[in-house]
Structures are given as C-alpha cells and as structure tokens.
Amino acid sequence: MSHNSLKYQFKKQLIISVGLLVLIFSFLLYQILFIGIGASMHRGMMSMTDHYAQQLEADPSFPLPHNDDFSIYVGRETLPAEIEQMFDIDTLPPFSFSVHDDSKLSELFRPQKITFLETRPLKNNKGILYLVYHDRDPQRAPPPRHGKIPSHLFLQDHPPQHAEKVLPPGPPPKTPLINVPNSIIFIILLATLLVYWIVQRLITSVLNPLNELALMAKSLDENNPELSFSVMQNKTEIGAVAKTLHQTMQRIHQYHQREKQFLQNASHELRTPIAVISSALDIIDLRASQGNHDIADQHINIRRANKNMTEMTSALLLLSDKNRSIRSLDTIDLKQLSTSIIEEHKYLLKDKRVFIDLIGADNETHELPGTLCRIVLSNLIRNAFEQTLSGGVSVDISGRKVLVTNTSSAIYNNEEGEIELEKNYDKGFGIGLDIVKKIVEQQQWQLHFFADVKKGWQVVINFENKTLSDKQ
C-alpha cells in the first residue's frame, strides 16, 4: 500500500488521533484517581486525628499507637528523623495533608512506598499532633475510608467483651491483576483494536468502492461504452458517481459516433465538387490544346461546385457559432428564395421527365437567418431532385412552413415508409441531412419526414422557433 494513498493516510491519521486521545484521557483518569485517593485519605486521617486529639485533650497520658501502618506523634521533637527528611515540617500549616512518594504518583507501576502525613494543633497550646501513615505492602489492608478508624485500633483501645477467635495466618491475598497501569494499557489496546475495526469497516464501505471507481475510470473504453462494472451497483453516492460516469462515457461515444459520421459525410460530399472542378479543368485544358475555346459550360460547372462547397463551409462556420447565426437576421421571401434554388439545381433533372410545381403567396417576407434558410432549402430541394426518377416535385409554401414533395418508384414497394425514408434520404443527402438536422436543432425549428405510397416522399420544414411559439 503506497504511503501516498488515501487508504494509508486515512488509517494513519485516524489511529494517531484516537491514540493520542486515549493516552491523554488515560493520563487524566490516572491523575484523577490519585487525586480521589488523596482526598479520601485526607478525610480518613482527619477523622483519626480528631479522635486522638480529643482523647489526649481529655487524658494527656492516653497511649498513642505506633506500628508499621501508622503512628501518632505529639510535638515536632518526637518525630523520627526519617519523617523530617520526607516533609518540610517547619512550613506545614495546621490541618495540612501531605504525601511523599519515593518515586512519583504518575509512574506506570505502583510505588513501593508512600507516606501520608496529617497535622492537627491541640487545644490549650499543648503542641501539634502528627499522624503518619505508611503504605508499604500492597497485601496489607487499605487505609481507612469515609473517616472510619481502623478496627484494630478500636480493639486496642476498647477491647470487646467477647473477642472473636483469631484465624490462623494463611497465604497472603493475591494482588489484583487489574490495577491502574494495567487498566491504561488495556484501554489503549482495546481502543486501538476498536479503531482498527472501525478503519477496516470504513475502508470496506468507502475506500474500496473508491478504488473500484478509479479502476472503472481507467478501464472505460470509448469504443465499448456498454461495458458494465460492479461498483455501479453500490447503493452509496459512489455508485451514483459511477453511473453518472458511465452515462457520460455513453454520451461521449454517441457524440464521437455522430462526429465520425459527420466527417465521413463531409469528406464524401466535398469529394464530388472537387471531382467536378478537377474534371472541368481537365476538359478546359483538353479543349485549349485542340484550339477549342468554348468553355462556358465548364465555367458553369466550376462555379456551381464552388458554390456548393461555399455553402457547406458557411453552414459549418455558422453552426460553430450559435450567437452569430441568431444575430444575422434578414428579410426573407421564402417563395422567391425557393425559385432561385430551383433554378440553380435544375441541372439535376436533365434527361429526366420530371415536372416542378411551386405554390405560395408572393411578396410574403419573414425575419429569418438568410444563409441558414438557404442551406436548408437547398439541401431539401436538391435531394428531392436527385431522388426523383420520374413524376414531379412540389414545393408548397404557407407562412413559415415549406412542404417539399417528390414522387419516385423507389418507395412504392417499401412497407416501412418513414423509417426507410430517412435512411434513403441520408444516402442521397450525404452531409446535407446532417447539416439540416444540426441547423434545425440549433435554431429550434421543426423538421418532419413522411412517406406515402401515392404521394411519395414529403419533408416539412417549419421555420417558426418552437420555443417562442410555445411561449406565445
């Protein structure tokens, strides 16, 4: 696993953060525990000093206890030298509580010896009472709790009338395995295991799907967009991202396919006028070498091919700049424009028995992008002329709607008229149909194809912007 991976960084940061928190809170709990022990000892030793102070004030000859656990001294001069070395007696105020640890209370292991000192002044200036408690052996009984005096002291000062039988000494009690240092170690280990378990679950639910998503992004193939991946079935946001990425790749594939088809059609469509120009130039050269200067017909062919290429390149430029095409509005007479286009393309009907019918009101103008309208109508009329073997071609203009109808024996045996119509149209159109569709989509015009066995092919183009029509 790389040190730069998200999985490694996630593990490291989470373990460090939680580990530090566990250590800090464990140390605080450790300190709070000893503070509580000290407070409890202070209350217990205060109760003991009050008891013995009352006894001494009532009877100065009252016997004071001296044993391994604790001792009571009256007056500074009675204190052992060891106690004076442990505590700065001269600086201790009355009713003070002090603790001396041979090591430190915050060490990881239990101190070998702890000495507690409680001071209390006696009444009538009889000196100061010192209570010293030694905690040497962990197997001994704990110090008094909640202000109670150890039972053996009361037994020494006030022997019971019926003393119970003392049990013979047995094996010393075992030291408990769970103490403060061991508890801290146990908590740290438990927290580490818990953090590791949480990290593993997070990796399983988050980081592993992210890795699968990265592999999916690397494996996506534009030529094979239908390829499916398991991460797409993930129920979290990662699955949604995977599905979106897959859908985006499908759209890219469709876009590339359309662009590929568009370029193929463009290449095919440009090849024809280029061939016409090349052929016309060869004929001109041949006639010139023979002394024949009649080349007017070849000039017409060259100009016609040049005009077709000019229209096509203009359409491509306009389609690449939507705002430019919207701003370039002209006053257009659709009937007059159709008449001009029909005259330009009559050469396609040469040697064909085809009649032309143009229907529409005269002098009816509209504000439309002139170049785009001319490109659309030129392609529709030219294709109608090319596809019509015999019969007629009708151009019916009504307002902004133009209906182009042509008859041809090519569709008489076609049982899937509308579907095959567009396929055949595409074959005859080349890039023309693609350009028309793109222009119509950009300008939000309306284009429909119909096939009828009796009437032939019908194409309806409505130059009315459908968005504006819906708003009105």
Side-chain angles (χ1 to χ4, degrees), residues 228-408:
S228 182
F229 299 88
S230 60
V231 70
M232 296 171 59
Q233 307 302 323
N234 192 287
K235 303 299 182 182
T236 64
E237 293 82 357
I238 297 176
V241 172
K243 292 178 182 177
T244 304
L245 185 61
H246 190 262
Q247 293 171 357
T248 301
M249 180 56 65
Q250 289 182 326
R251 288 194 295 269
I252 293 174
H253 174 73
Q254 294 172 358
Y255 171 78
H256 284 175
Q257 289 298 111
R258 289 196 303 267
E259 292 302 314
K260 181 179 179 181
Q261 185 64 35
F262 185 80
L263 291 174
Q264 288 177 350
N265 290 336
S267 176
H268 176 75
E269 194 71 12
L270 286 172
R271 190 181 294 115
T272 300
I274 291 174
V276 170
I277 294 174
S278 178
S279 176
L281 291 175
D282 290 341
I283 293 174
I284 290 174
D285 291 340
L286 179 60
R287 290 180 181 179
S289 63
Q290 295 175 353
N292 185 354
H293 299 289
D294 184 12
I295 57 175
D297 57 337
Q298 300 306 316
H299 282 167
I300 293 175
N301 291 337
I302 292 174
R303 289 192 178 93
R304 185 183 295 122
N306 180 71
K307 187 173 184 179
N308 290 338
M309 288 191 295
T310 302
E311 287 182 352
M312 185 166 54
T313 54
S314 298
L316 294 175
L317 289 174
L318 290 173
L319 287 174
S320 65
D321 188 354
K322 182 178 179 179
N323 294 329
R324 178 183 172 187
S325 63
I326 291 176
R327 289 196 301 266
S328 56
L329 297 179
D330 303 306
T331 302
I332 303 298
D333 185 336
L334 292 177
K335 184 177 181 180
Q336 182 179 351
L337 178 60
S338 299
T339 302
S340 174
I341 293 173
I342 290 172
E343 292 297 326
E344 293 173 0
H345 292 83
K346 275 187 177 180
Y347 71 95
L348 296 172
L349 300 178
K350 186 178 180 181
D351 299 330
K352 293 182 180 181
R353 299 173 62 182
V354 177
F355 66 89
I356 301 172
D357 188 12
L358 179 60
I359 306 171
D362 296 329
N363 302 323
E364 184 177 352
T365 59
H366 307 278
E367 294 296 324
L368 295 170
T371 303
L372 296 182
C373 287
R374 182 178 184 85
I375 293 171
V376 170
L377 288 178
S378 294
N379 280 279
L380 295 179
I381 293 174
R382 184 187 65 175
N383 191 76
F385 286 178
E386 290 177 345
Q387 295 296 321
T388 303
L389 304 179
S390 63
V393 175
S394 172
V395 180
D396 189 353
I397 302 171
S398 176
R400 295 194 175 200
K401 185 183 297 184
V402 178
L403 171 63
V404 179
T405 305
N406 66 300
T407 59
S408 175

